[in-house]
Amino acid sequence: MKARVNTEYGEIVINSDVIATYAGTVAVECFGIVGMATVNMKDGIVKLLKRDNIKQGITVEIEDNKISIDFHVIVAYGVSISAVSENLIDSIKYKVEEFTGMEVDNVHILVEGVRVID
């Protein structure tokens, strides 16, 4: 899936993987987010993703030049999930809109696990 932005000079096409990678980088910088997660559907096991595979924990959909993003995250133990989620949504919405020039319509946070930070 690709995003298309028309400018006075022509058309810009942005691959959804680029948006996912950028959004993942923004997400792991947010307080309370340990990292992105992937769920093995067969076993139901949640795995913390390394920075190289960060986009696997994120789903980006683009429809009518509006972006919807789903995050599968692992949060830090002892933090308020609602406060961390609100902060993540605000950060993602602002930074992805600034990065792409497109509107972020929805951000869904799916908390897949909790980890103690050393």
Side-chain angles (χ1 to χ4, degrees):
M1 195 175 314
K2 298 183 190 238
R4 298 182 187 286
V5 179
N6 290 314
T7 69
E8 61 184 276
Y9 302 109
E11 183 178 58
I12 301 168
V13 179
I14 307 168
N15 190 313
S16 61
D17 283 350
V18 172
I19 297 170
T21 301
Y22 181 75
T25 303
V26 170
V28 295
E29 292 174 356
C30 289
F31 173 78
I33 301 294
V34 174
M36 297 296 110
T38 184
V39 180
N40 182 332
M41 293 300 179
K42 180 181 172 191
D43 301 327
I45 297 173
V46 175
K47 180 177 146 188
L48 180 64
L49 294 169
K50 294 183 180 174
R51 217 161 171 79
D52 298 340
N53 299 329
I54 206 162
K55 69 182 176 186
Q56 290 179 0
I58 302 168
T59 306
V60 175
E61 293 183 15
I62 302 158
E63 191 172 316
D64 298 329
N65 269 352
K66 292 185 179 181
I67 303 170
S68 294
I69 308 173
D70 294 347
F71 287 91
H72 296 267
V73 298
I74 296 176
V75 297
Y77 176 79
V79 298
S80 167
I81 292 175
S82 62
V84 169
S85 297
E86 286 179 26
N87 181 39
L88 177 59
I89 290 168
D90 290 343
S91 294
I92 291 299
K93 190 167 173 42
Y94 175 76
K95 290 186 177 179
V96 170
E97 284 179 351
E98 185 179 272
F99 179 66
T100 62
M102 298 171 60
E103 180 183 348
V104 175
D105 195 30
N106 292 308
V107 178
H108 299 113
I109 311 298
L110 297 106
V111 179
E112 301 292 353
V114 176
R115 293 272 167 98
V116 175
I117 299 177
D118 298 333

